[in-house]
């Protein structure tokens, strides 16, 4: 009897022995706890590849927002702005040893055209010629270089340009993928042949940690050097923790209530305005976001002065006005306090996701605020794909979302992506406004500064008035960084952590 | 060991819980969903006896409404199970043969299935809500009741007085009502008491995982999940739903230990 | 019962359950309001705006335009071959993801089970041997508390205490004892609660058997007596109780892995549910169910092996 048990335990022990011991910080590794899953290893699907410096784009923004070359050395356009030539940097090799050529770049841009920000540009053709990539457009388009700075236009080696999902990917950046067999962890090592600033820290581990509490605990315990997207209370919770700083960084990003403008009654401007009036933005900003200044008064924050229109009347919290607008639209309160019109209850489903931990909390807050004016909201929390899938198949009714204005470093990119012709995942949905679309197209070919300024005012004013998406708050990102790391600078464009610049603190 | 003191203690704790679930929300009339964003995560005070949560909602009111929610679901599930278990056992015994074998096999298969998995698989699709939770918890738990009723029933059917009634020409329903049900019911009720605790824990687990129960429903597991990130700032608020769960499950555990167990021969 | 009979019975049960779960999975998906073809299209062409035309192509290539019954039969056939297609989020074979996460889960489940039994047996034995003593009462209260507290709470407390406050364990990495021991402790605590009660009852029962009482009166030392005759009898209720223990283990895998951010089957299941990654979700549920059934079959085989003499 005893013998049997012993034998079973012994064989089990050999079978199940735990593999390598956990690495200590002394092993020259930067560990990042991120709420963003790694996903398929293609640049257009995985933010991790760009942020950790595996893949690079043709252009990049400077801190001031000017567009400079990255994999493109320089570029020129013809006078009518519908043909652009990008000269590809020479002497750059991919992590798999193959050289970066104009041909590979053109193949990348062609393959991922529909999946990257390039889809918002009116591209006619993409070709290569010598060391140049030539992009021709159907109409004049001034912001093409900015589009090519978006993280999802990263360039990978020709080998990886097939349809087979792969366990590895070769980019040109300062870090190369060493091990991606674990779908929840990306192990990188420094690329010794990098053409730019060589990384001084040799290894990176990018960990997908969906639970905010776990990210916070990991930062607190000193297990990771970085933890991103923490709840704002982390500043209070981690005050006692040594060796870790919690920072708050304002970034040009918005939290908003996405509405399906294709279904009744959300297709009525007055109804969307009523929803906007019903939301107490100051309350949400002060108590959930933790910074009263983030309460949105219009779409763009003051940190984007060109786009922030000081003449606009700020969003107001006025439930009485909301009720009035809804009554004018023909709604009557039923016995349970929910509005009805022609026998139909005003009830919508709001989807949200928790990679940004405050979104579901704001969602529940708005659920209650809308109930006050008689709109019933049911909640469905999950993963961010609930929003993108729901947008794609048209089943989304409302969604609590957040998006950056500067993935394409010129906010016109975000406007074109999110509001142009029916909208995008993180903006309006089925809001078709020919006048607005015309303004966007004009803007993309205009060069005169005064005309551009006027167009900006018009576009922002139109969104302000019609609420294709109800802006709720601007954004503070809360992240924790270990004292052991020096030289970290938060990238407000959210495209690159800048890991190659990091050093260990003295 | 604790036989002497345990029974009154178990009954007392359970009774106190039932009273709190039934009358608590009537006496403490604060709206569990009413938000006050300016009062979020405030410590206990005169107006909010157990403080407020991250949206400034009253935690005591939410705990009381959560008790009502859990208790309501648990009681409906058990009522469903009792009727379903008895009815199916009756059918199996009366018709016998293939129907009986088929039902036994089906219940064996469902019984051998980890219930939570099926609940997770279906809750997401069916969209959640109290009725869906009742349905799913019932779906995975009925075989226990069926098996117990069948075991007791089968023994009774062979007993002399049932055979006598049969010979006397009594209908199946009459036999069931007069001779089978009175014997069966105490056993089933005792099983029910034991499974209330399990159901409460299942509901809390689903709420904690955020599956099948959606806001603003006041539910303990979901409250714990929402508040755990603020545990240093709001310890009382987090402790309240935790203690509520421990209270009721412990009460039922003590209660079920003091109920005389079903005899092995019948179980 | 012969071994062949036992195995045949078990195989039939496993087959029935597999079909049951696969059926649930299939209809669950076909009840979904979302347009399945569009969803697959969106995942395959990640980020692209799939239109109806694209959806029609996908529909045809996946056979989604055929009658539901034909699809159902096809699905069952594929499920029995473990062919679930590709995950909608990672784009990898579902089976590959299951294997990856499965190995992680096996580690914690195996050691959690060993540790849980290791904790429950001494507690149960001591309680049963000294039934009614203060020690018995104290340990009884402990196991009652353990069965009462939901395991996600134990996990939260463990993380705060051992990871954050003491820094004795970590939440990152998939292997290594620094990562595993707290999880194993958490699982073993939740397993030991009810198991120790069963063992206690079994020990009391055995000690009250007439042959034990008789031998004790004749002055045979109790320890020797118990090891020679008692163990086997006391073990039987425990072996019979094992399926319940495995059920708890499966629940713990889901809840504790989620709280600990441990990338095993349970964590993957919750992530897949949140992302509505249906192929992965179906595969994981079936994998967990089969894992559970495998465990119970194993425990039945052991029971059969130990007690077969008695059956004759």
């Amino acid at each position: 009897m005893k013998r049997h048990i012993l034998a079973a335990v012994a064989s089990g022990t050999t079978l199940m022995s735990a593999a390598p011991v956990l690495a200590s910080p002394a092993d020259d590794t930067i560990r990042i706890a991120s709420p963003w899953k790694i996903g398929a290893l293609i640049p257009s699907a995985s933010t991790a590849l760009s942020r950790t410096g595996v893949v690079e784009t043709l252009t990049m923004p400077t801190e001031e927002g000017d567009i400079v070359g990255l994999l493109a050395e320089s570029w020129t356009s013809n006078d009518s702005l519908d043909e652009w030539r990008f000269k590809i940097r020479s002497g750059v090799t991919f992590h798999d040893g193959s050289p970066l050529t104009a041909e590979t770049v053109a193949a990348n841009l062609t393959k991922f055209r529909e999946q990257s920000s390039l889809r918002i540009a009116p591209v006619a053709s993409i070709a290569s010629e010598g060391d140049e990539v030539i992009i021709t457009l159907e109409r004049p388009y001034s912001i093409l270089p900015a589009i090519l700075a978006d993280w999802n236009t990263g360039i990978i080696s020709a080998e990886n340009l097939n349809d087979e999902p792969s366990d590895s990917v070769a980019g040109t950046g300062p870090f190369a993928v060493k091990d991606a067999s674990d779908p929840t962890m990306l192990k990188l090592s420094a690329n010794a042949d990098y053409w730019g600033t060589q990384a001084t820290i040799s290894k990176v581990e990018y960990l997908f940690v969906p639970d905010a509490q776990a990210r916070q605990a990991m930062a607190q315990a000193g297990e990771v050097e970085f933890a991103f997207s923490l709840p704002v209370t982390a500043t209070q919770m981690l005050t006692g923790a040594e060796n870790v700083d919690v920072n708050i960084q304002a970034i040009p990003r918005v939290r908003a209530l996405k509405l399906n403008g294709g279904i009744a009654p959300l297709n009525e401007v007055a109804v969307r305005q009523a929803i906007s009036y019903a939301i107490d933005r100051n309350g949400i900003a002060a108590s959930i976001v933790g910074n009263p200044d983030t309460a949105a008064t219009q779409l763009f924050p003051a940190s984007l002065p060109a786009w922030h229109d000081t003449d606009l009347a700020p969003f107001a919290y006025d439930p009485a006005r909301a009720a009035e607008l809804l009554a004018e639209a023909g709604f009557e309160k039923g016995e349970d306090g929910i509005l009805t019109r022609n026998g139909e209850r005003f009830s919508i489903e709001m989807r949200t996701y928790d990679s940004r931990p405050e979104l579901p909390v704001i969602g529940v807050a708005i659920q209650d605020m809308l109930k006050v004016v008689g709109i019933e909201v049911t909640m469905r929390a999950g993963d961010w794909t609930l929003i993108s899938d729901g947008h794609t198949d048209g089943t989304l009714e409302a969604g609590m979302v957040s998006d950056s204005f500067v993935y394409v470093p010129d906010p016109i990119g975000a406007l074109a992506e999110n509001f142009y012709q029916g909208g995008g995942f993180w903006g309006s949905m089925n809001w078709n406004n020919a006048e607005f679309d015309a303004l966007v197209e004009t803007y993309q070919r205009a060069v005169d500064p005064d005309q551009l300024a006027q167009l900006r005012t018009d576009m922002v004013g139109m969104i302000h008035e019609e609420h294709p998406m109800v802006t709720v708050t601007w954004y503070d990102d809360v992240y924790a960084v270990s004292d052991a790391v020096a030289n970290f600078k938060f990238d407000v464009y959210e495209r690159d952590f800048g890991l190659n610049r990091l050093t260990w603190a003295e | 060991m604790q036989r002497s003191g345990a029974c009154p203690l178990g009954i007392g704790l359970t009774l106190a819980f039932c009273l709190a679930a039934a009358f608590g929300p009537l006496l403490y009339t604060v709206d569990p969903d009413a938000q006050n964003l300016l009062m979020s995560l405030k410590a206990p005070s005169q107006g909010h006896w157990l403080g407020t949560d991250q949206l400034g909602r009253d935690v005591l009111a939410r705990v009381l409404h959560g008790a009502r929610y859990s208790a309501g679901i648990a009681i409906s599930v058990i009522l469903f199970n009792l009727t379903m278990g008895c009815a199916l056992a009756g059918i199996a015994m009366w018709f016998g043969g293939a129907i009986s074998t088929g039902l036994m096999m089906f219940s064996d298969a469902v019984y051998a299935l980890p219930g939570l998995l099926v609940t997770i698989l279906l809750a997401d699709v069916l969209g959640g809500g109290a009725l869906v939770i009742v349905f799913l918890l019932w779906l995975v738990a009925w075989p226990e009741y069926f098996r117990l009723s069948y075991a007791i029933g089968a023994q009774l059917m062979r007993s002399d007085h049932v055979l006598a009634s049969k010979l006397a020409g009594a209908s199946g329903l009459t036999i069931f009502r007069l001779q089978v049900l009175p014997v069966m019911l105490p056993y089933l009720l005792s099983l029910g008491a034991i499974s209330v605790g399990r159901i409460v824990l299942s509901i809390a687990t689903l709420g904690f995982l955020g599956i099948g129960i959606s806001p603003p429903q006041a539910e303990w597991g979901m409250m714990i999940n929402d508040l755990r990130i603020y545990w240093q700032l709001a310890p009382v608020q987090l402790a309240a739903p935790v203690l509520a769960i421990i209270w009721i499950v412990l009460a039922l555990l003590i209660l079920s230990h003091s109920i005389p167990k079903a005899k092995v021969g019948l179980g | 019962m012969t071994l062949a009979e036992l195995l045949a019975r078990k195989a039939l049960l496993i087959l029935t359950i597999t079909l049951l779960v696969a059926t649930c999975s299939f209809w669950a998906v076909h009840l979904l309001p979302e347009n399945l073809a569009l969803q697959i299209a969106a995942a395959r062409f990640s980020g692209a705006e799939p239109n109806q035309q694209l959806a029609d192509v996908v529909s045809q290539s996946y056979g989604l335009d055929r009658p539901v019954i034909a699809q159902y039969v096809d699905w069952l056939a594929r499920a029995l071959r473990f062919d679930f297609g590709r995950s909608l989020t990672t784009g990898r074979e579902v089976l590959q993801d299951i294997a990856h996460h499965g190995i992680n889960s096996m580690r914690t489940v195996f050691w959690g089970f060993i540790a849980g039994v290791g904790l429950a047996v001494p507690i149960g034995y001591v309680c049963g041997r000294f039934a009614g003593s203060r020690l018995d009462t104290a340990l009884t209260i402990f196991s009652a508390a353990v069965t009462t507290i939901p395991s996600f709470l134990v996990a939260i407390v463990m993380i705060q205490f051992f990871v954050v406050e003491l820094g004795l364990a970590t939440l990152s990495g998939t292997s290594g004892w620094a990562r595993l021991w707290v999880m194993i402790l958490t699982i073993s605590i939740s397993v030991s609660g009810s198991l120790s009660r069963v063992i206690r009852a079994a020990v009391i029962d055995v000690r009250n058997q007439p042959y034990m009482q008789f031998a004790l009166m004749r002055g045979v030392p109790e320890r020797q007596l118990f090891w020679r005759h008692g163990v086997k009898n006391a073990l039987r209720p425990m072996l019979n109780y094992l399926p319940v223990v495995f059920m708890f283990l499966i629940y713990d895998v889901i809840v504790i892995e989620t709280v600990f951010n441990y990338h095993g089957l349970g964590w993957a299941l919750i992530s897949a549910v949140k992302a509505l990654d249906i192929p992965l979700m179906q595969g994981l549920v079936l994998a967990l169910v089969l894992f559970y059934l495998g465990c119970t079959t194993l425990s039945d085989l052991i029971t059969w092996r130990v007690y077969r003499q008695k059956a004759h």
Side-chain angles (χ1 to χ4, degrees), chain C residues 111-127 139 142-143 146 154 158 181-200 238:
Chain C
W111 288 114
F113 176 71
I114 297 284
V117 173
L119 201 62
V121 169
I123 292 179
Y125 177 75
V126 167
C127 283
L139 288 173
F142 167 76
S143 42
V146 163
V154 181
M158 290 283 189
W181 75 267
V182 186
M183 285 188 69
I184 291 169
L185 184 63
T186 312
I187 294 176
S188 66
I189 286 177
S190 105
V191 164
S192 68
S194 50
L195 188 59
S196 65
R197 307 303 303 149
V198 172
I199 294 170
R200 175 183 182 273
M238 183 184 131

Side-chain angles (χ1 to χ4, degrees), chain A residues 62-82:
Chain A
T62 62
E63 263 177 63
E64 291 74 35
D66 302 323
I67 307 295
V68 297
L70 191 60
L71 289 182
E73 243 169 32
S74 60
W75 56 87
T76 54
S77 74
N78 62 1
D79 290 339
S80 55
L81 291 175
D82 56 7

Side-chain angles (χ1 to χ4, degrees), chain B residues 183-205:
Chain B
V183 183
M184 202 140 69
L185 212 54
Y187 289 103
L188 286 173
L189 285 179
S190 136
L191 177 64
I194 297 168
S195 52
V196 172
R198 230 179 303 161
I199 294 171
V200 169
L201 280 183
S202 301
I203 298 170
T205 306

Side-chain angles (χ1 to χ4, degrees), chain A residues 84-134:
Chain A
W84 292 77
R85 289 171 170 266
F86 293 84
K87 184 170 185 293
I88 302 303
R89 195 174 292 279
S90 59
V92 177
T93 52
F94 287 104
H95 302 142
D96 61 5
S98 62
L100 173 78
T101 63
E103 204 186 336
T104 316
V105 174
N108 265 278
L109 297 180
T110 310
K111 177 158 176 61
F112 298 120
R113 190 180 137 191
E114 278 304 312
Q115 300 166 33
S116 69
S117 286
L118 261 186
R119 69 169 169 269
I120 64 170
V123 175
S125 73
I126 300 169
S128 63
E129 192 182 287
D131 61 353
E132 285 187 333
V133 172
I134 306 156

Side-chain angles (χ1 to χ4, degrees), chain B residues 121-197:
Chain B
L121 184 72
L122 295 179
D124 208 43
V125 175
L126 297 178
L131 279 179
V132 172
I133 300 285
V134 170
F135 171 72
L136 290 173
L137 291 177
W138 161 77
L139 194 68
V140 294
W142 65 265
E144 244 180 319
Y145 294 78
F146 168 71
R147 286 154 66 112
L148 183 63
S149 347
Y150 187 84
I152 300 169
Q155 215 169 51
L156 281 173
M157 292 301 272
R158 285 193 297 272
S159 68
D160 293 340
H161 55 282
V162 173
L163 284 176
S165 316
K166 261 188 177 173
L167 286 176
S171 77
L173 212 60
T174 317
I175 295 176
F176 180 75
R177 196 163 48 88
L178 294 178
Q179 291 176 323
V180 180
L181 198 62
V183 183
M184 202 140 69
L185 212 54
Y187 289 103
L188 286 173
L189 285 179
S190 136
L191 177 64
I194 297 168
S195 52
V196 172

Side-chain angles (χ1 to χ4, degrees), chain C residues 19 22-24 26-27 66-77:
Chain C
L19 287 175
T23 306
C24 275
F26 179 83
W27 291 109
R66 291 176 303 154
V68 175
I69 296 299
Q71 288 186 49
Y72 173 60
V73 172
D74 184 50
W75 156 251
L76 285 187

Side-chain angles (χ1 to χ4, degrees), chain B residues 110-120 136 140, chain C residues 247 251:
Chain B
V110 177
Y111 187 67
L113 206 64
L116 189 65
L117 284 173
V118 180
T119 314
I120 288 176
L136 290 173
V140 294
Chain C
M247 191 87 88
Y251 294 175

Side-chain angles (χ1 to χ4, degrees), chain B residues 80-112:
Chain B
F80 264 129
N81 276 337
L82 288 177
T83 32
M84 171 95 174
C86 284
L88 280 183
I91 291 172
M93 277 179 295
W94 195 250
F95 292 103
I99 293 180
S100 160
T101 324
L103 270 173
M104 272 317 253
M105 271 179 68
F106 186 61
S107 82
D108 276 352
V110 177
Y111 187 67

